[in-house]
Amino acid sequence: MSESRKAFLNGVRAEIPLLISVFPFGMIYGALALDAGLSTLASQLMSSIVFAGSAQFVTAQLVHDGAPGFIIILTIAVVNLRHMLYSASLAPYLKNLSLKWKALLSYLLTDEAYAPTILNYEKEGITPVSHWFLLGAGFSLWFNWQVSTAFGIFLGAAIPKEWPLDFALPLTFIAMVVPILKNRPMIAASVSAGLVALLAFSLPFKLGIILAALTGIVVGTVLESGKSISGALSPKGML
Amino acid sequence: MNIWLVLLIGGLLTFGMRFSLIYLFGRFEVPQTMRKALHYVPPAVLSAIIFPELIYPSGNLDLTLGNTRLLAGIIATLVAWYTKNTLLTILAGMAALVILQLL
C-alpha cells in the first residue's frame, strides 16, 4: 500500500467515532431544513455548498422565521468566523502544498476534520504524505454529511406537518450552548445576547440577532480581559 | 433575496474563512483580541436565536405558564445542564412540548 493511501486511511480511521456522532445531526438537519420551508434540493445542496453544521441549522431557522437574505449571510459569516482559527492553526503544516491542495483541504476544514488532524500533526509532524490524513478525515466526514442529510430529508418528508418539529431547532441550539457555559464570561455572553435579542425583537429584518450576537461577543471578551487584568493586579486572583 | 444566492454567498464566505490563513500563511496573524472574541461567538449567536424563540413563540411576548415552548425550553436546558447529552436534550424538550400541549 502506498504511503499516501495509508495516511488517507489513517485519517478515515481517526474520523470514525466522529462520523458516528455526526450522522444523527445530518439527519436532524435534513428533516428540519425541509420543515423550515427549504426545498428538497436546497436542503441537500446546502450540505455541500456551505458544509458547516451549525451555520446550516441557523440558516434553516432564519429561513423558517422569514429573515431576509443579507441577515442570513451575515449570520453565516459570524457563525463560521471560528474557521479562521483552524485555518491559522493548520497553515504552517500546509505551507508547502500546491494552491489546489490548499483549496481542497480548506473546503473540507470543519470542526470535526480539524480535531483529529491537528492531533496527528502535533504527534507526527509534517511528512510528504501527511496532508492525505486531513483529506481522509475531511472527505469521510463530507461523504457522511451528504448521506445523513439525504436520510434526514427522506425521513422528514414522512413526518406529519402538524408535529411541532420546528421546535427541535431551538432545542438543538440549547443542547449546543448549555455545555459550553463553563465560566462567567461565557454565561454573561449568552445571557446578554439573549436579552438584547428580546429587547431588539421588533427591529426590522431580524437585525436584532446580529446586534444581540455582537453584544454577547463584546461582553464575553471584555469580561475575560477584565478578569485577567484583575487577576494580574490582585495577588489572590480574586474577582 | 433568492435562496440560492444566499447559499452561494454563504458558502463562498465559509470557504474564504477556511482558506484565508492557510493562503496568507506568514503574511497575517490572527490578533489576540480576535482569538479571544471568537470563543464567544457560539454562545452569543445561539442565545440570540434561542431567547426569542422561547419568549416570543408566535411573534408576541409571552411570559405566562401557557407558553409551552418556554416551559419545554427550560426543561431542555436543565436536561442539557445535567446530562450534556445533545440527543437526550432534544428528545426531552420535544417530549415536554408535546405533553404540555396536551395538558
Side-chain angles (χ1 to χ4, degrees), chain A residues 143-211:
Chain A
F143 185 75
N144 181 65
W145 188 244
Q146 308 310 318
V147 174
S148 56
T149 299
F151 264 98
I153 291 173
F154 182 72
L155 286 180
I159 296 172
K161 275 275 168 234
E162 309 82 70
W163 289 21
L165 199 63
D166 62 316
F167 191 56
L169 268 174
L171 288 175
T172 310
F173 299 147
I174 289 174
M176 290 175 179
V177 168
V178 173
I180 57 174
L181 301 181
K182 285 179 196 144
N183 52 48
R184 266 199 282 177
M186 278 290 185
I187 295 171
S190 163
V191 173
S192 59
L195 291 179
V196 171
L198 293 179
L199 292 173
F201 186 75
S202 50
L203 283 186
F205 314 126
K206 300 260 163 200
L207 273 170
I209 290 181
I210 303 288
L211 193 66

Side-chain angles (χ1 to χ4, degrees), chain A residues 25 38 41-42 46 49-52 58 61 65 69-70 72-73 76-81 83-85 87-88 91-92 94-95 99 102-103 106-107 109-110 164 166-167 171-175 177-178 180 185-186 189-190 193-194 197-198 201 212-213 217 220-221 224-225, chain B residues 1 3-11 13-15 17-23 25 28 30 33-56 59 69 72-73 76-77 80-81 84 86-87 89-90 93-94 97-98 101:
Chain A
F25 274 104
L38 283 152
L41 196 64
M46 200 200 311
I49 298 174
V50 180
F51 186 42
V58 169
Q61 177 72 64
D65 295 344
F70 77 96
I72 302 182
I73 290 169
I76 293 177
V78 174
V79 171
N80 283 336
L81 265 176
H83 290 107
M84 288 182 74
L85 283 185
S87 188
L94 307 180
K95 64 180 179 198
L99 196 63
K102 284 180 182 170
S106 298
Y107 169 68
L109 186 53
T110 53
D166 62 316
F167 191 56
L171 288 175
T172 310
F173 299 147
I174 289 174
V177 168
V178 173
I180 57 174
M186 278 290 185
S190 163
L198 293 179
F201 186 75
I217 293 166
T221 311
E224 187 188 322
S225 310
Chain B
M1 204 189 295
I3 184 68
W4 292 106
L5 194 60
V6 171
L7 293 186
L8 199 68
I9 298 174
L13 280 173
T14 305
F15 172 77
M17 287 185 279
R18 288 169 173 164
F19 188 52
S20 58
L21 295 159
I22 289 173
Y23 180 70
F25 177 68
F28 176 78
V30 183
T33 317
M34 187 176 165
R35 246 171 228 278
K36 241 184 228 177
L38 285 175
H39 290 294
Y40 297 99
V41 170
V45 173
L46 298 176
S47 303
I49 292 175
I50 296 167
F51 277 55
E53 287 296 326
L54 299 183
I55 291 170
Y56 287 80
R69 290 195 172 212
T77 304
W81 183 264
K84 315 237 180 276
T86 312
L87 287 178
T89 302
I90 297 172
M94 286 306 278
L97 181 68
V98 170
Q101 281 180 342

Side-chain angles (χ1 to χ4, degrees), chain A residues 42-161:
Chain A
S43 304
Q44 180 67 53
L45 287 186
M46 200 200 311
S47 282
S48 46
I49 298 174
V50 180
F51 186 42
S54 44
Q56 290 179 230
F57 277 100
V58 169
T59 301
Q61 177 72 64
L62 293 177
V63 168
H64 175 263
D65 295 344
F70 77 96
I71 292 290
I72 302 182
I73 290 169
L74 258 178
T75 313
I76 293 177
V78 174
V79 171
N80 283 336
L81 265 176
R82 69 182 186 287
H83 290 107
M84 288 182 74
L85 283 185
Y86 305 154
S87 188
S89 154
L90 286 182
Y93 298 108
L94 307 180
K95 64 180 179 198
N96 297 326
L97 298 177
S98 68
L99 196 63
K100 266 187 206 162
W101 266 104
K102 284 180 182 170
L104 173 64
L105 295 177
S106 298
Y107 169 68
L108 293 173
L109 186 53
T110 53
D111 309 60
E112 290 83 2
Y114 169 77
T117 300
I118 190 65
L119 291 178
N120 186 61
Y121 272 123
E122 280 168 2
K123 207 172 63 186
E124 313 274 338
I126 308 181
T127 71
V129 297
S130 49
H131 52 291
W132 285 87
F133 183 98
L134 172 54
L135 185 68
F139 176 75
S140 56
L141 184 81
W142 181 88
F143 185 75
N144 181 65
W145 188 244
Q146 308 310 318
V147 174
S148 56
T149 299
F151 264 98
I153 291 173
F154 182 72
L155 286 180
I159 296 172
K161 275 275 168 234

